[in-house]
Amino acid sequence: MSLLSHLSEIAGQVFADLGFDPELGETVPSQRPELAQFQINGAMAAGKSANRAPRELAQEVADHLSGHPDLARVEVAGPGFINITLTDQAIARIAAAEAGDPYLGFPVTNTPENVVVDYAGPNVAKAMHVGHLRATIIGDSLARLFAFAGHKVIRDPHFGDWGFQMGLLIAALADEQPQLPYFDPDADEFPAESPVTLDDLQRIYPEAATRARNDADFADAARSATVRLQQGDPGYLALWGHMKAVSEQSQRRDFAALGVNFDLWYGESDVHDRLGPLVSALRESGVAEESHGALVVRVAEETDNREIPPLIVESSSGGFLYSTTDMATVQMRVDELRADLVLYVVDRRQADHFVQIFRAARRAGFVPEGTRLEHIWFGTMNGPDGKPFKTREGGVVRLADVIDMLTGAARRRLDEAHLAEEYPEEERAHIAEMVGIAALKFGDLINNRTSDYIFDLDRFSSFEGKTGPYLQYAAVRIKSILRRASEAGLTPGPLQPPTVENERDLMLELLRLPEVVGRAIDLRSPNHIAEYAFEVAGRFNRFYDTCHILSETDETRRGSWLTLSTWALSVLERLLDLLGIEVPDRM
Ligand code: ARG
């Protein structure tokens, strides 16, 4: 049980004995750490409900509490706060239980849910942009958090591979290379080699997108190509298969570099078989209606404070759209994956789209009451100029280039700090990669999910301040202390009651893990983990400055400090893991 739950239970019992709701015993960290470690605020509400002076009631609760053997001090302050401080024996006892627990005291759920995390979302042929990068980093961290809490997590990137962009590519290629067999209506065999490379696709796509905006005939051709593909034209399907494979290959490489993996490598096309039946059912049930030749579901509600346009499920040319595949994907996730919760980790700009999808799916009746669909949106990663991060030429930044940039910066930083200096080149390169990825992920995750932030290569890659490299280094340093201790034959022993302030503070800090992880999950906000990791590292450093573990001669004390250090390392490594950050063995 976490420390706060333990304290809340003790105080709750007192409130219950006095005839109040035990919930009023909720105990939280003190607002004024110089006065006490924890506080209970329930006496104010209790006083109000019982028509009694809150301070007097607080005193009564405090009198009952002060006999508890775990509490060193119980005091009433202000209008009726109850301040409490634990005995050092109680801290050590609870610490020993949490330090030895594989979940570090976190109460793993006993009602696991199926949680689908829809994140990353790159598109075939379009380079991943910074929105995809944020979605990947945040989504991956949320997936790790839910898995840690004991849920069954299903990671699904939802590749964009079935919409208009495919029609654009096919139409452009048909113009450029009409002799290809894919465009011959009589052909029934197609080459195994792809007619296009990734570079081709990345050149063709932006050209085609621009052209479609200015050339109505070309846009029409792209729309009919989309419909023909979706209707299963064999040549188009064969060509589509090549384009998808070529893109996916490079995306797999990028994700591997980021340390991100998916349970399902599904895309929009994977729900293709559901699209026709879904649209017919919507039409027949009257949920969808004709509008200007298209089929739409009206989802506006009276209480809306902005206009929510109808959701188009079939275009006037008979094509299925991004919305149609998303509707069918909700259905698939409910039917096949038995989803209890679906988190859509996608850019803020798609807020209306998800309002439409969630409402339409509920209206269509295929989302069970208890199933929650949530749009987990985020702000923009901006460049140094405060505008969405672009290359100097104004193009989208390729993920692979971002990673190269960071690895390069990490290398320079390692050199500057004389770290990993005489290591074999291979190990150095690997460390630089880990540091670069840590810089990128932490630089993102330390921000409140919904805020915009500025990508600052220099700041992110620094070994000082709130950065990924600083935290990696902090963890590596604890590893090296433990290694030196073990080389000197020093062994960890049972945790002792703390005797020094920095030691006590570190224990109390580590005991916060369950509460912080719980908050990050409840708010779907990994930044709480990032902040906390920084606090833990700072507390450990202060502890190590005052408690000279390796030269301590009292064996019991030294043993306890080694155990405390091991625990601090487990907490720090776990937090970094929840952020998707790896820790090198040494550096
Ligand atoms: N491919 C989409 C894009 O680039 C993101 C997909 C998000 N997920 C979803 N279920 N719509 O904008």
Side-chain angles (χ1 to χ4, degrees):
M1 185 190 302
S2 81
L3 174 56
L4 288 183
S5 326
H6 175 63
L7 294 174
S8 301
E9 215 163 76
I10 296 175
Q13 188 56 52
V14 173
F15 275 96
D17 289 347
L18 296 174
F20 293 102
D21 184 352
E23 296 283 316
L24 292 171
E26 187 189 3
T27 306
V28 296
S30 171
Q31 301 276 322
R32 315 245 332 248
E34 70 284 9
L35 296 183
Q37 293 164 349
F38 302 95
Q39 67 185 58
I40 304 159
N41 305 333
M44 266 90 74
K48 207 175 215 167
S49 74
N51 222 344
R52 286 182 51 187
R55 228 192 121 91
E56 188 195 298
L57 188 78
Q59 193 55 58
E60 198 176 331
V61 175
D63 290 343
H64 278 77
L65 273 176
S66 47
H68 196 283
D70 282 353
L71 304 180
R73 277 203 328 270
V74 184
E75 284 149 0
V76 174
F81 297 112
I82 304 166
N83 287 335
I84 62 177
T85 296
L86 286 167
T87 65
D88 289 332
Q89 284 72 14
I91 295 179
R93 188 193 74 235
I94 298 166
E98 298 211 357
D101 172 19
Y103 293 92
L104 301 160
F106 185 81
V108 172
T109 182
N110 39 31
T111 49
E113 297 199 308
N114 293 334
V115 181
V116 177
V117 188
D118 175 321
Y119 66 112
N123 301 305
V124 168
K126 294 201 242 174
M128 281 211 252
H129 59 68
V130 293
H132 298 123
L133 182 60
R134 285 214 76 188
T136 304
I137 294 174
I138 298 170
D140 185 55
S141 177
L142 290 175
R144 289 164 184 267
L145 279 160
F146 277 86
F148 179 68
H151 296 289
K152 178 170 186 322
V153 173
I154 305 156
R155 301 162 172 83
D156 178 358
H158 199 75
F159 288 111
D161 63 0
W162 205 236
F164 183 56
Q165 87 269 23
M166 303 309 311
L168 278 172
L169 285 164
I170 296 174
L173 212 61
D175 256 15
E176 201 177 280
Q177 300 178 50
Q179 77 290 355
L180 289 174
Y182 309 97
F183 308 118
D184 173 358
D186 299 324
D188 50 11
E189 256 187 64
F190 305 99
E193 267 302 286
S194 172
V196 284
T197 63
L198 187 68
D199 287 338
D200 294 332
L201 291 178
Q202 299 206 330
R203 171 183 57 81
I204 299 172
Y205 179 77
E207 284 171 12
T210 315
R211 187 169 159 204
R213 271 192 293 271
N214 307 313
D215 173 347
D217 289 341
F218 179 71
D220 275 343
R223 269 189 288 271
S224 18
T226 312
V227 175
R228 210 165 128 186
L229 168 71
Q230 292 175 346
Q231 287 172 347
D233 179 282
Y236 281 22
L237 269 181
L239 177 56
W240 169 84
H242 285 305
M243 297 194 291
K244 180 169 159 77
V246 163
S247 294
E248 200 178 299
Q249 208 182 10
S250 89
Q251 280 155 356
R252 279 188 187 256
R253 232 186 356 254
D254 286 349
F255 287 126
L258 276 180
V260 169
N261 201 356
F262 300 101
D263 300 296
L264 303 174
W265 288 75
Y266 281 180
E268 296 164 354
S269 63
D270 286 284
V271 291
H272 172 68
D273 290 345
R274 291 179 174 270
L275 299 175
L278 170 72
V279 168
S280 310
L282 291 174
R283 194 194 307 269
E284 276 151 34
S285 62
V287 170
E289 54 194 273
E290 300 283 340
S291 168
H292 305 287
L295 195 67
V296 307
V297 181
R298 295 191 191 280
V299 292
E301 288 174 6
E302 243 164 57
T303 49
D304 289 341
N305 54 15
R306 62 178 195 273
E307 197 195 322
I308 305 291
L311 179 79
I312 308 179
V313 289
E314 192 180 47
S315 74
S316 50
S317 52
F320 299 128
L321 308 120
Y322 181 51
S323 335
T324 329
T325 47
D326 250 330
M327 285 283 280
T329 303
V330 174
Q331 200 184 39
M332 180 275 285
R333 287 173 177 164
V334 169
D335 288 356
E336 289 171 28
L337 308 180
R338 304 263 156 232
D340 298 302
L341 172 65
V342 187
L343 302 177
Y344 291 83
V345 188
V346 188
D347 217 282
R348 166 171 44 203
R349 289 169 300 184
Q350 297 196 31
D352 283 358
H353 169 76
F354 287 108
V355 172
Q356 293 174 311
I357 295 292
F358 299 167
R359 287 183 185 175
R362 293 225 182 254
R363 263 195 65 194
F366 52 70
V367 189
E369 192 78 46
T371 299
R372 286 102 64 213
L373 308 173
E374 295 179 21
H375 178 204
I376 307 299
W377 57 274
F378 46 82
T380 315
M381 171 171 133
N382 288 321
D385 58 356
K387 302 210 185 86
F389 197 52
K390 293 261 165 65
T391 58
R392 219 163 290 167
E393 297 73 41
V396 286
V397 186
R398 301 213 340 253
L399 180 58
D401 296 337
V402 177
I403 295 177
D404 281 351
M405 238 156 81
L406 282 152
T407 312
R411 251 186 190 264
R412 288 193 297 278
R413 293 292 192 173
L414 288 168
D415 289 342
E416 247 170 54
H418 301 289
L419 290 173
E421 241 168 2
E422 333 59 83
Y423 298 0
E425 170 50 29
E426 205 182 313
E427 185 180 352
R428 254 181 91 73
H430 186 50
I431 294 175
E433 263 165 44
M434 283 194 260
V435 172
I437 299 291
L440 176 66
K441 290 186 175 175
F442 196 88
D444 188 302
L445 294 172
I446 187 67
N447 303 287
N448 192 321
R449 166 166 67 73
T450 55
S451 330
D452 296 345
Y453 74 92
I454 290 185
F455 177 86
D456 184 338
L457 187 62
D458 255 11
R459 190 159 57 81
F460 290 3
S461 62
S462 168
F463 277 103
E464 277 157 40
K466 272 190 199 173
T467 69
Y470 165 77
L471 290 171
Q472 272 176 324
Y473 182 68
V476 166
R477 183 154 163 259
I478 308 179
K479 285 191 187 184
S480 118
I481 295 166
L482 292 172
R483 198 161 34 227
R484 272 184 290 152
S486 124
E487 279 161 12
L490 311 178
T491 45
L495 277 181
Q496 302 300 315
T499 51
V500 183
E501 192 181 341
N502 284 340
E503 183 190 10
R504 182 178 303 109
D505 285 348
L506 175 60
M507 288 189 182
L508 289 171
E509 187 72 48
L510 299 176
L511 286 171
R512 287 180 54 213
L513 178 132
E515 166 220 341
V516 177
V517 172
R519 184 155 13 107
I521 292 177
D522 290 346
L523 302 174
R524 286 87 166 102
S525 292
N527 67 304
H528 295 286
I529 302 291
E531 284 290 348
Y532 177 50
F534 183 72
E535 296 297 324
V536 167
R539 290 273 190 219
F540 180 84
N541 289 343
R542 266 163 285 174
F543 156 73
Y544 189 64
D545 282 346
T546 25
C547 302
H548 303 127
I549 308 177
L550 300 175
S551 57
E552 173 61 44
T553 48
D554 179 335
E555 207 176 311
T556 314
R557 259 188 135 191
R558 194 180 60 217
S560 171
W561 286 349
L562 283 171
T563 300
L564 179 54
S565 306
T566 309
W567 179 26
L569 177 62
S570 308
V571 167
L572 197 51
E573 281 196 295
R574 170 57 70 190
L575 297 172
L576 291 175
D577 177 70
L578 291 171
L579 300 173
I581 294 175
E582 277 183 278
V583 178
D585 278 334
R586 55 174 197 166
M587 77 201 214

